[in-house]
Amino acid sequence: MNAPPTQIFEPRDPDFESKVRKSFGLQKVMSTLGIDLSSVRAGEVALRMTHDDAFTQQHGFIHAGVTTTALDSACAYAAFSLMPQDAAVLTVEFKTSLLAPAKGIEFHFCGQVLKPGKTLTYTQGYAWASDGPHRVLVASMTATIMALHGRSDLRL
C-alpha cells in the first residue's frame, strides 16, 4: 500500500532542501534512533530506519513511541520544506493510529503536506515495515505543524 498521490507545491524558500537537511541534522534524537533522511521534496519528506533491538517493546516490535517520533519528524519536515527561509518549525498536535505490529528489518516513514498555510500546515504521515519483499503499513499520522517567525532563539 502506498500513500495517496503527492500534490505539487511551490516552496517559499528556493533552498528548502538544504534548510530541511541542516535542521534534521540538528535533531540528536534522529541520530540516536538511527533514522536517516532519505529524500526531501517540496511538501514531502521520507525517513528510513533499520531494525534495532534497543528500540523494541516487550514483544520485539519497534516501540510505538519510536514510530510516532519518526512520523512526527517526517510530517514536520514536510511542512518545513514549504516554509519561508526565516521560519522555524514546531509540531502543534498529532494523532497516530497504530495499524499493525512494527515488525521488520527496515522501516520507512513518509510525511506529506495536505494543506499548507502561513502559520499552520496540515500534514499526514505513513510508516511501513519491510522484511525484504514484504511491506506492511504499520501506522498513520495526521499532524498540525506551526511556522514560527521572528524567533532568533530557535535554530533552523
Side-chain angles (χ1 to χ4, degrees):
M1 174 179 267
N2 292 322
T6 303
Q7 298 179 57
I8 297 173
F9 295 109
E10 191 65 38
R12 294 182 196 155
D13 180 356
D15 198 27
F16 73 92
E17 183 176 353
S18 64
K19 174 182 76 171
V20 167
R21 290 186 181 281
K22 178 182 176 185
S23 180
F24 184 86
L26 295 172
Q27 282 204 357
K28 293 180 182 179
V29 68
M30 292 293 109
S31 61
T32 298
L33 295 171
I35 298 173
D36 299 316
L37 183 57
S38 310
S39 69
V40 178
R41 296 190 337 208
E44 184 175 316
V45 165
L47 309 178
R48 184 186 150 288
M49 179 182 93
T50 56
H51 178 89
D52 187 328
D53 284 339
F55 306 122
T56 59
Q57 44 82 293
Q58 71 275 16
H59 301 298
F61 308 134
I62 294 298
H63 195 281
V66 173
T67 301
T68 300
T69 298
L71 282 172
D72 172 39
S73 283
C75 287
Y77 282 112
F80 192 48
S81 72
L82 299 179
M83 293 179 187
Q85 184 179 17
D86 69 336
V89 63
L90 282 177
T91 300
V92 174
E93 61 81 33
F94 59 72
K95 181 205 181 286
T96 306
S97 296
L98 304 169
L99 307 171
K103 179 181 179 184
I105 298 167
E106 194 169 84
F107 301 88
H108 299 270
F109 310 93
C110 179
Q112 298 175 322
V113 170
L114 292 176
K115 184 172 185 323
K118 183 178 177 185
T119 303
L120 297 176
T121 296
Y122 193 70
T123 65
Q124 64 186 359
Y126 298 95
W128 294 273
S130 66
D131 63 0
H134 300 95
R135 191 166 110 144
V136 175
L137 182 64
V138 297
S140 67
M141 174 180 278
T142 57
T144 305
I145 311 298
M146 175 183 269
L148 299 164
H149 302 280
R151 293 284 304 267
S152 60
D153 59 322
L154 300 178
R155 295 188 292 184
L156 299 177

